[in-house]
Amino acid sequence: MSLVTLKELLAEPLEVHSAVGGFVTFDYASTEAIIKAAEHTGGKAIIMIPWGLAAGQNKPEEYLRNTLSMIRNSSAPITLHLDHGASFEECMRAIHSGFSSVMYDGSSLPMEENIANTKKVVEAAHACGVSVEGEIGHVGGAEAGALVEGGLTADSSLYTTVEEAVSFAEATGVDALAVAVGTVHGIVRGTPKLDLERLSAIRAAVKIPLVLHGGSGLTDEAFQSAVKHGINKINYFTEMSLATSAAVREFVRHCGEQPVHMMDITNHAYHKLEQLIEKQIRLFRLEEKLQQNLE
Ligand code: 13P
């Protein structure tokens, strides 16, 4: 099945209560875990890389080529998506490297500037057959992955309004729209509260897939409510990374002073990661659960 665009991946009718996970990969093994989880669940997945993570590799072009080759060899439909593209140039470099989808994130800019920049990315990306995600309103927090002790909370003054969502989607022609409705990137303080009324109103007014950033910290019930109220793509990273490192700690502690092979530690940790991703893929496919309950 292999590499597909975000538009193709999210082509299901918007009335179907189902979302696809956007999982941030941090190395080849986590890419493999995402692909295996998609294959085992008979589902699909979005593999996301922020440009800084690719550029920080020893040989960035080779890293992306190899990641693409892993995706192309997969039996599941997978999108390779640039997460939080910071500029037109970054998005173009990602497209040139083979990404099938890019996010241009102008959410901290004034609305007019965000629209103008996003529109430019959309025109160029669509000419290359690549999808674009934009963001209006602002999901703040630790976008660059910083682990803030004690956690962060969402700023409701930056939530997306229905009017902004409608005019942004119409003016830019984006294929998916990230909205701010109560989540925050990174470790969350307390229990995040989603503004479901706002989300429902945006869903009713905007006719393209909606994206929830900052998935970590939400309960299973909150994820399902988000999907039920109109979310189609869920971005997820911090909990993947923390679950993998916690599995390493647990394994090493269990071994005590005994000699241990490195591969046994990594196999254990990435197996835990794969299990977590499988669970999230199934959880996000709410429609399937609703159908099963009816049977
Ligand atoms: P979390 O790290 O909070 O799950 O957010 C990931 C994200 O939104 C990436 O764009």
Side-chain angles (χ1 to χ4, degrees):
M1 201 51 205
S2 84
L3 184 72
V4 296
T5 66
L6 188 65
K7 192 176 169 136
E8 288 165 325
L9 203 81
L10 301 179
E12 238 171 330
L14 296 174
E15 312 71 67
V16 176
H17 298 302
S18 194
V20 182
F23 302 103
V24 175
T25 182
F26 37 93
D27 57 10
Y28 290 129
S30 52
T31 297
E32 197 179 13
I34 301 167
I35 291 173
K36 274 196 201 160
E39 289 175 346
H40 289 166
T41 53
K44 38 194 174 179
I46 300 152
I47 292 183
M48 309 203 299
I49 311 184
W51 190 252
L53 239 160
Q57 300 290 325
N58 183 26
K59 294 184 178 172
E61 292 298 325
E62 189 179 302
Y63 177 72
L64 291 173
R65 250 197 326 274
N66 291 339
T67 301
L68 272 165
S69 151
M70 290 165 80
I71 293 174
R72 290 203 173 97
N73 284 326
S74 157
S75 59
I78 310 268
T79 296
L80 181 61
H81 178 80
L82 174 71
D83 195 25
H84 292 285
S87 62
F88 178 79
E89 289 70 24
E90 222 171 66
C91 293
M92 294 308 107
R93 289 177 73 184
I95 292 170
H96 184 66
S97 303
F99 281 71
S100 57
S101 175
V102 294
M103 176 196 190
Y104 170 72
D105 183 359
S107 64
S108 53
L109 300 173
M111 168 96 161
E112 290 314 312
E113 209 178 329
N114 187 6
I115 287 180
N117 293 358
T118 307
K119 209 171 156 199
K120 201 170 145 195
V121 172
V122 168
E123 278 167 13
H126 283 181
C128 303
V130 169
S131 308
V132 180
E133 173 186 325
E135 178 171 335
I136 192 72
H138 182 64
V139 180
E143 274 165 13
L147 296 174
V148 180
E149 224 187 306
L152 300 153
T153 45
D155 178 352
S156 59
S157 71
L158 302 175
Y159 287 4
T160 310
T161 67
V162 178
E163 298 72 31
E164 280 172 343
V166 170
S167 37
F168 184 85
E170 277 173 7
T172 59
V174 287
D175 302 290
L177 180 65
V179 291
V181 290
T183 52
V184 62
H185 292 98
I187 297 178
V188 182
R189 187 186 313 146
T191 312
K193 195 171 164 1
L194 296 176
D195 189 339
L196 295 172
E197 211 175 299
R198 182 184 296 263
L199 177 57
S200 286
I202 298 172
R203 169 73 297 155
V206 175
K207 302 300 171 209
I208 54 171
L210 298 178
V211 183
L212 186 73
H213 279 243
S216 296
L218 292 181
T219 60
D220 288 0
E221 292 70 30
F223 276 125
Q224 294 192 323
S225 294
V227 176
K228 197 166 164 214
H229 289 81
I231 288 294
N232 311 97
K233 169 177 180 267
I234 297 175
N235 285 16
Y236 191 68
F237 165 61
T238 303
E239 278 178 0
M240 287 169 60
S241 175
L242 293 183
T244 315
S245 62
V248 171
R249 273 204 199 108
E250 171 198 74
F251 194 88
V252 171
R253 199 164 31 230
H254 179 75
C255 293
E257 294 305 312
Q258 290 168 28
V260 53
H261 279 300
M262 188 62 200
M263 62 208 171
D264 290 335
I265 302 175
T266 52
N267 282 347
H268 173 77
Y270 286 102
H271 181 62
K272 288 276 180 193
L273 175 63
E274 190 188 321
Q275 285 178 328
L276 172 64
I277 300 167
E278 276 195 25
K279 174 187 164 277
Q280 298 307 72
I281 290 177
R282 291 203 166 92
L283 182 68
F284 300 163
R285 292 195 307 224
L286 183 62
E287 189 76 21
E288 212 164 85
K289 207 167 170 155
L290 296 175
Q291 294 297 336
Q292 280 164 4
N293 288 347
L294 285 178
E295 284 162 11

PDB file of all heavy atoms in Angstrom, residues 24 48 83-84 184-186 213-216 235-239, ligand 1:
ATOM      1  N   VAL A  24       4.880  11.008  15.997  1.00  0.00           N
ATOM      2  CA  VAL A  24       6.206  11.580  15.717  1.00  0.00           C
ATOM      3  C   VAL A  24       7.237  10.466  15.881  1.00  0.00           C
ATOM      4  O   VAL A  24       7.286   9.786  16.906  1.00  0.00           O
ATOM      5  CB  VAL A  24       6.544  12.736  16.685  1.00  0.00           C
ATOM      6  CG1 VAL A  24       7.970  13.234  16.444  1.00  0.00           C
ATOM      7  CG2 VAL A  24       5.548  13.878  16.530  1.00  0.00           C
ATOM      8  N   MET A  48       5.269  11.313  11.426  1.00  0.00           N
ATOM      9  CA  MET A  48       5.552  12.753  11.414  1.00  0.00           C
ATOM     10  C   MET A  48       6.998  13.006  11.852  1.00  0.00           C
ATOM     11  O   MET A  48       7.486  12.403  12.808  1.00  0.00           O
ATOM     12  CB  MET A  48       4.606  13.490  12.358  1.00  0.00           C
ATOM     13  CG  MET A  48       3.131  13.161  12.141  1.00  0.00           C
ATOM     14  SD  MET A  48       2.027  14.443  12.753  1.00  0.00           S
ATOM     15  CE  MET A  48       2.426  14.459  14.469  1.00  0.00           C
ATOM     16  N   ASP A  83       6.065  17.792  10.434  1.00  0.00           N
ATOM     17  CA  ASP A  83       5.335  18.338  11.581  1.00  0.00           C
ATOM     18  C   ASP A  83       5.851  19.753  11.861  1.00  0.00           C
ATOM     19  O   ASP A  83       7.066  19.974  11.922  1.00  0.00           O
ATOM     20  CB  ASP A  83       5.561  17.419  12.792  1.00  0.00           C
ATOM     21  CG  ASP A  83       4.571  17.675  13.920  1.00  0.00           C
ATOM     22  OD1 ASP A  83       3.464  18.172  13.642  1.00  0.00           O
ATOM     23  OD2 ASP A  83       4.916  17.367  15.081  1.00  0.00           O
ATOM     24  N   HIS A  84       4.953  20.698  12.017  1.00  0.00           N
ATOM     25  CA  HIS A  84       5.297  22.081  12.376  1.00  0.00           C
ATOM     26  C   HIS A  84       6.343  22.726  11.468  1.00  0.00           C
ATOM     27  O   HIS A  84       7.363  23.248  11.958  1.00  0.00           O
ATOM     28  CB  HIS A  84       5.766  22.171  13.842  1.00  0.00           C
ATOM     29  CG  HIS A  84       4.665  21.894  14.821  1.00  0.00           C
ATOM     30  ND1 HIS A  84       3.657  22.794  15.101  1.00  0.00           N
ATOM     31  CD2 HIS A  84       4.390  20.802  15.562  1.00  0.00           C
ATOM     32  CE1 HIS A  84       2.820  22.253  15.970  1.00  0.00           C
ATOM     33  NE2 HIS A  84       3.234  21.050  16.256  1.00  0.00           N
ATOM     34  N   VAL A 184      -2.422  20.861  24.844  1.00  0.00           N
ATOM     35  CA  VAL A 184      -1.161  21.586  24.862  1.00  0.00           C
ATOM     36  C   VAL A 184      -0.063  20.571  24.514  1.00  0.00           C
ATOM     37  O   VAL A 184      -0.199  19.381  24.821  1.00  0.00           O
ATOM     38  CB  VAL A 184      -0.967  22.253  26.250  1.00  0.00           C
ATOM     39  CG1 VAL A 184      -0.884  21.235  27.356  1.00  0.00           C
ATOM     40  CG2 VAL A 184       0.218  23.169  26.301  1.00  0.00           C
ATOM     41  N   HIS A 185       1.001  21.014  23.821  1.00  0.00           N
ATOM     42  CA  HIS A 185       2.088  20.083  23.480  1.00  0.00           C
ATOM     43  C   HIS A 185       2.904  19.731  24.726  1.00  0.00           C
ATOM     44  O   HIS A 185       3.204  20.607  25.536  1.00  0.00           O
ATOM     45  CB  HIS A 185       3.041  20.720  22.463  1.00  0.00           C
ATOM     46  CG  HIS A 185       2.434  20.937  21.108  1.00  0.00           C
ATOM     47  ND1 HIS A 185       1.918  22.139  20.720  1.00  0.00           N
ATOM     48  CD2 HIS A 185       2.279  20.099  20.059  1.00  0.00           C
ATOM     49  CE1 HIS A 185       1.469  22.039  19.472  1.00  0.00           C
ATOM     50  NE2 HIS A 185       1.675  20.815  19.049  1.00  0.00           N
ATOM     51  N   GLY A 186       3.276  18.485  24.848  1.00  0.00           N
ATOM     52  CA  GLY A 186       4.182  18.077  25.926  1.00  0.00           C
ATOM     53  C   GLY A 186       3.463  17.529  27.133  1.00  0.00           C
ATOM     54  O   GLY A 186       2.305  17.106  27.053  1.00  0.00           O
ATOM     55  N   HIS A 213      -3.701  18.656  17.930  1.00  0.00           N
ATOM     56  CA  HIS A 213      -2.297  18.560  18.362  1.00  0.00           C
ATOM     57  C   HIS A 213      -2.253  18.323  19.868  1.00  0.00           C
ATOM     58  O   HIS A 213      -3.226  18.554  20.571  1.00  0.00           O
ATOM     59  CB  HIS A 213      -1.556  19.864  18.031  1.00  0.00           C
ATOM     60  CG  HIS A 213      -1.110  19.942  16.607  1.00  0.00           C
ATOM     61  ND1 HIS A 213       0.209  20.017  16.244  1.00  0.00           N
ATOM     62  CD2 HIS A 213      -1.807  19.933  15.453  1.00  0.00           C
ATOM     63  CE1 HIS A 213       0.301  20.065  14.925  1.00  0.00           C
ATOM     64  NE2 HIS A 213      -0.914  20.020  14.418  1.00  0.00           N
ATOM     65  N   GLY A 214      -1.071  17.894  20.358  1.00  0.00           N
ATOM     66  CA  GLY A 214      -0.893  17.754  21.806  1.00  0.00           C
ATOM     67  C   GLY A 214      -1.729  16.646  22.400  1.00  0.00           C
ATOM     68  O   GLY A 214      -2.346  16.811  23.455  1.00  0.00           O
ATOM     69  N   GLY A 215      -1.760  15.479  21.739  1.00  0.00           N
ATOM     70  CA  GLY A 215      -2.604  14.375  22.206  1.00  0.00           C
ATOM     71  C   GLY A 215      -2.176  13.802  23.557  1.00  0.00           C
ATOM     72  O   GLY A 215      -3.015  13.326  24.316  1.00  0.00           O
ATOM     73  N   SER A 216      -0.888  13.863  23.876  1.00  0.00           N
ATOM     74  CA  SER A 216      -0.423  13.250  25.134  1.00  0.00           C
ATOM     75  C   SER A 216      -1.109  13.899  26.329  1.00  0.00           C
ATOM     76  O   SER A 216      -1.282  15.119  26.358  1.00  0.00           O
ATOM     77  CB  SER A 216       1.096  13.409  25.272  1.00  0.00           C
ATOM     78  OG  SER A 216       1.736  12.708  24.241  1.00  0.00           O
ATOM     79  N   ASN A 235      -2.401  14.152  16.774  1.00  0.00           N
ATOM     80  CA  ASN A 235      -0.937  14.179  16.903  1.00  0.00           C
ATOM     81  C   ASN A 235      -0.521  13.693  18.284  1.00  0.00           C
ATOM     82  O   ASN A 235      -1.075  14.132  19.297  1.00  0.00           O
ATOM     83  CB  ASN A 235      -0.414  15.607  16.706  1.00  0.00           C
ATOM     84  CG  ASN A 235      -0.419  16.038  15.265  1.00  0.00           C
ATOM     85  OD1 ASN A 235      -1.085  15.406  14.442  1.00  0.00           O
ATOM     86  ND2 ASN A 235       0.297  17.093  14.960  1.00  0.00           N
ATOM     87  N   TYR A 236       0.493  12.840  18.290  1.00  0.00           N
ATOM     88  CA  TYR A 236       0.848  12.150  19.527  1.00  0.00           C
ATOM     89  C   TYR A 236       2.352  11.926  19.557  1.00  0.00           C
ATOM     90  O   TYR A 236       2.915  11.363  18.627  1.00  0.00           O
ATOM     91  CB  TYR A 236       0.086  10.817  19.507  1.00  0.00           C
ATOM     92  CG  TYR A 236       0.081  10.040  20.782  1.00  0.00           C
ATOM     93  CD1 TYR A 236      -0.594  10.496  21.901  1.00  0.00           C
ATOM     94  CD2 TYR A 236       0.735   8.808  20.853  1.00  0.00           C
ATOM     95  CE1 TYR A 236      -0.624   9.730  23.076  1.00  0.00           C
ATOM     96  CE2 TYR A 236       0.708   8.051  22.020  1.00  0.00           C
ATOM     97  CZ  TYR A 236       0.028   8.521  23.125  1.00  0.00           C
ATOM     98  OH  TYR A 236      -0.011   7.776  24.271  1.00  0.00           O
ATOM     99  N   PHE A 237       3.000  12.373  20.614  1.00  0.00           N
ATOM    100  CA  PHE A 237       4.446  12.165  20.690  1.00  0.00           C
ATOM    101  C   PHE A 237       4.977  11.928  22.106  1.00  0.00           C
ATOM    102  O   PHE A 237       5.598  10.899  22.380  1.00  0.00           O
ATOM    103  CB  PHE A 237       5.191  13.348  20.049  1.00  0.00           C
ATOM    104  CG  PHE A 237       6.653  13.370  20.397  1.00  0.00           C
ATOM    105  CD1 PHE A 237       7.481  12.316  20.033  1.00  0.00           C
ATOM    106  CD2 PHE A 237       7.208  14.418  21.119  1.00  0.00           C
ATOM    107  CE1 PHE A 237       8.835  12.300  20.376  1.00  0.00           C
ATOM    108  CE2 PHE A 237       8.555  14.420  21.462  1.00  0.00           C
ATOM    109  CZ  PHE A 237       9.368  13.358  21.095  1.00  0.00           C
ATOM    110  N   THR A 238       4.751  12.897  23.017  1.00  0.00           N
ATOM    111  CA  THR A 238       5.428  12.863  24.320  1.00  0.00           C
ATOM    112  C   THR A 238       5.238  11.525  25.035  1.00  0.00           C
ATOM    113  O   THR A 238       6.204  10.953  25.546  1.00  0.00           O
ATOM    114  CB  THR A 238       4.929  14.038  25.197  1.00  0.00           C
ATOM    115  OG1 THR A 238       5.176  15.248  24.479  1.00  0.00           O
ATOM    116  CG2 THR A 238       5.679  14.098  26.520  1.00  0.00           C
ATOM    117  N   GLU A 239       4.010  11.016  25.039  1.00  0.00           N
ATOM    118  CA  GLU A 239       3.779   9.744  25.745  1.00  0.00           C
ATOM    119  C   GLU A 239       4.484   8.576  25.067  1.00  0.00           C
ATOM    120  O   GLU A 239       4.886   7.621  25.733  1.00  0.00           O
ATOM    121  CB  GLU A 239       2.272   9.469  25.855  1.00  0.00           C
ATOM    122  CG  GLU A 239       1.660  10.232  27.018  1.00  0.00           C
ATOM    123  CD  GLU A 239       0.166  10.029  27.151  1.00  0.00           C
ATOM    124  OE1 GLU A 239      -0.439   9.292  26.338  1.00  0.00           O
ATOM    125  OE2 GLU A 239      -0.414  10.627  28.067  1.00  0.00           O
TER     126      GLU A 239
HETATM  127  P1  13P B   1       2.253  15.665  22.326  1.00  0.00           P
HETATM  128  O1  13P B   1       3.758  15.541  22.419  1.00  0.00           O
HETATM  129  O2  13P B   1       1.688  16.508  23.418  1.00  0.00           O
HETATM  130  O3  13P B   1       1.595  14.345  22.198  1.00  0.00           O
HETATM  131  O4  13P B   1       1.961  16.480  20.992  1.00  0.00           O
HETATM  132  C1  13P B   1       2.476  16.021  19.769  1.00  0.00           C
HETATM  133  C2  13P B   1       2.127  16.983  18.671  1.00  0.00           C
HETATM  134  O5  13P B   1       1.122  17.653  18.696  1.00  0.00           O
HETATM  135  C3  13P B   1       3.051  17.059  17.539  1.00  0.00           C
HETATM  136  O6  13P B   1       2.645  18.011  16.603  1.00  0.00           O
END
